[in-house]
Amino acid sequence: MKIAFTFLTYGKDIFGGIENALFNLTKGLDELDHDVFVFTSSTYIDGTENFPADVYRSKFLPTEYNGNVKHLISSLYDNRTAINNDFDYFLEKFKPDHVVVVDPIWGILGATYYTNNTNTPFSISYHIANTWAETRTIMAYSLLSDYVNFFVVSTFLSTEIKKEFPKAKNIAMKVLPNSIDTSLYESNITVPEQYILCNSRIAEGKNVDVLVEAFSTIKNDGMKLVLCTGKFPFGDSNSERSNMERLVKKLGIENRVEFLPNLEWRDVPELVKKSYAVVLPSTYETFGIAALEASIAGVPLIAAYATNFKDLVKKNALYFSPNDVTDLGKKIRDVIDNYEHYKKKSGRCKAYFVNRYNNKIVAERLLNAIRSDNMQ
């Protein structure tokens, strides 16, 4: 089968979880011997990469982002005629059996108000609810569009969308979760290194400050806290890092906290596998790829009892009350004091996550949904 995707940025080592999810999904489809195509910009592609998909770089798409979503939407809308014509050429060139638009805005075609005048069926895949003032109109429009499938990465996201957009209440949304190359997380590490990892970036809403404050209460000079910085085009990552560095200094734990440089995705599995435990204090995640990484690696996981974490990793995680520094400190202490118990518990759960979130398994879920619609 020929499957096409539309998304503004495609590549392996770029900033976002959605990009990582799309890359993994195309990898799974390729491993199942299907033909995959991506309509995208040239932002993170230099033409030398070996990708699982055939990449079409539209010269009409923006290649720089200044952090302002409104500017991005305006750019797409102002160039909509050229972009839509180029996408028609893309369809004619590759002749896909099915098109998946990944997000109404970042998936391009929602923001350009593309009209499908072909017999090719289109689906849309939501990773976020797009409830910001700048994105609500396009999000609402997408819910009225003639898509044969409305995919969401989680039941939690479906609930969020239906809560915010009344037009979505009668739409049947199918869960198509993010996936992971689970082979990268297979581990023979028996003695972990002495660091607690937060493998999500320092950004507004990730609540890393709660973790830093909780960690400062742990009187264990041998244990470090490792934080991922990362870059994000729609937020001031430098400012967020500076704020966190000031907090670390204020708490007097500079020698116990390490700020990692911007990582490539291929660096993450080894970092997760070697960690003593993973802690995720975020109170809003529509999926939670960082929690899945820890669970597949069999690393003890502490997470806020909020949003999709409690559904995604279920009994594997040790939960704390969201934003509760005292409770999180107690949970970190509990894992340190009872490490073998939590390590064995995490190890027993690995197979469950591997069998549900492997790239090929999730790719097959997409194919089954498409085949089912073709038979109706």
Side-chain angles (χ1 to χ4, degrees):
M1 186 177 291
K2 295 181 176 181
I3 312 293
F5 296 89
T6 66
F7 197 71
L8 268 171
T9 50
Y10 178 78
K12 186 174 183 180
D13 285 315
I14 50 182
F15 59 80
I18 304 179
E19 285 85 351
N20 185 243
L22 176 57
F23 186 87
N24 283 339
L25 181 56
T26 59
K27 192 170 186 287
L29 289 166
D30 180 61
E31 290 171 352
L32 291 171
D33 294 324
H34 293 274
D35 296 322
V36 191
F37 314 99
V38 179
F39 182 82
T40 188
S41 69
S42 59
T43 310
Y44 298 101
I45 302 171
D46 64 13
T48 63
E49 298 90 341
N50 182 22
F51 288 144
D54 285 332
V55 179
Y56 181 87
R57 307 162 182 79
S58 176
K59 64 182 180 181
F60 302 106
L61 293 173
T63 58
E64 294 183 0
Y65 311 104
N66 64 1
N68 189 311
V69 179
K70 188 175 181 179
H71 289 170
L72 170 62
I73 292 172
S74 296
S75 174
L76 292 171
Y77 183 78
D78 291 345
N79 291 289
R80 64 191 182 279
T81 300
I83 294 169
N84 290 340
N85 287 341
D86 204 28
F87 185 71
D88 282 334
Y89 174 78
F90 169 85
L91 291 179
E92 180 61 30
K93 177 180 175 68
F94 293 106
K95 296 180 171 54
D97 300 307
H98 202 97
V99 174
V100 180
V101 179
V102 185
D103 186 79
I105 292 92
W106 280 88
I108 304 163
L109 302 187
T112 63
Y113 294 90
Y114 178 81
T115 300
N116 179 17
N117 293 316
T118 72
N119 293 323
T120 305
F122 280 46
S123 294
I124 191 165
S125 174
Y126 298 107
H127 290 249
I128 55 176
N130 284 306
T131 57
W132 303 285
E134 300 91 335
T135 60
R136 289 188 70 92
T137 298
I138 297 173
M139 180 69 182
Y141 175 78
S142 74
L143 295 164
L144 299 174
S145 300
D146 190 23
Y147 295 114
V148 296
N149 288 294
F150 292 80
F151 294 115
V152 286
V153 291
S154 65
T155 302
F156 168 76
L157 178 56
S158 174
T159 302
E160 285 289 285
I161 292 173
K162 293 186 178 188
K163 180 177 70 176
E164 293 288 339
F165 299 92
K167 302 279 188 199
K169 289 183 178 178
N170 295 323
I171 294 176
M173 293 188 168
K174 301 177 182 179
V175 175
L176 182 71
N178 293 339
S179 67
I180 281 182
D181 186 344
T182 55
S183 66
L184 299 177
Y185 292 84
E186 294 174 357
S187 177
N188 56 4
I189 297 170
T190 56
V191 181
E193 296 186 13
Q194 297 292 293
Y195 65 84
I196 289 170
L197 172 68
C198 180
N199 57 323
S200 62
R201 67 178 178 272
I202 297 173
E204 185 178 356
K206 298 295 184 180
N207 300 9
V208 179
D209 58 326
V210 175
L211 170 56
V212 169
E213 290 188 37
F215 182 77
S216 71
T217 69
I218 305 300
K219 306 307 179 186
N220 186 323
D221 292 334
M223 187 69 66
K224 293 182 66 175
L225 175 62
V226 174
L227 303 177
C228 296
T229 53
K231 295 180 180 178
F232 183 57
F234 295 102
D236 187 353
S237 57
N238 291 330
S239 174
E240 294 289 340
R241 173 170 176 159
S242 296
N243 290 339
M244 206 61 59
E245 288 173 340
R246 282 193 290 270
L247 177 60
V248 167
K249 185 175 182 179
K250 177 183 176 182
L251 294 169
I253 55 175
E254 300 100 312
N255 64 329
R256 298 178 57 208
V257 178
E258 179 182 355
F259 290 86
L260 295 174
N262 194 47
L263 298 174
E264 295 185 336
W265 282 108
R266 61 174 173 264
D267 299 326
V268 173
E270 203 66 20
L271 188 66
V272 173
K273 289 189 294 184
K274 290 180 178 178
S275 63
Y276 194 87
V278 166
V279 181
L280 299 171
S282 174
T283 53
Y284 190 85
E285 297 287 345
T286 57
F287 185 72
I289 197 78
L292 185 57
E293 289 168 342
S295 299
I296 289 177
V299 172
L301 171 65
I302 303 172
Y305 191 71
T307 62
N308 197 49
F309 282 150
K310 59 183 184 290
D311 294 323
L312 176 65
V313 289
K314 303 184 188 309
K315 296 180 180 180
N316 182 50
L318 178 62
Y319 293 102
F320 72 96
S321 299
N323 293 313
D324 190 328
V325 171
T326 301
D327 189 32
L328 176 53
K330 289 179 180 178
K331 296 299 165 57
I332 295 173
R333 184 78 261 171
D334 189 16
V335 169
I336 292 173
D337 291 343
N338 302 281
Y339 183 74
E340 289 304 319
H341 165 73
Y342 288 107
K343 181 66 175 175
K344 288 179 181 178
K345 177 183 176 183
S346 297
R348 288 194 297 267
C349 295
K350 287 176 63 173
Y352 169 83
F353 294 104
V354 170
N355 292 332
R356 288 178 66 87
Y357 298 106
N358 176 275
N359 286 343
K360 289 199 291 186
I361 289 171
V362 174
E364 193 61 56
R365 286 182 66 166
L366 171 64
L367 293 167
N368 287 339
I370 291 172
R371 290 172 184 138
S372 175
D373 287 313
N374 288 345
M375 289 172 17
Q376 292 178 3

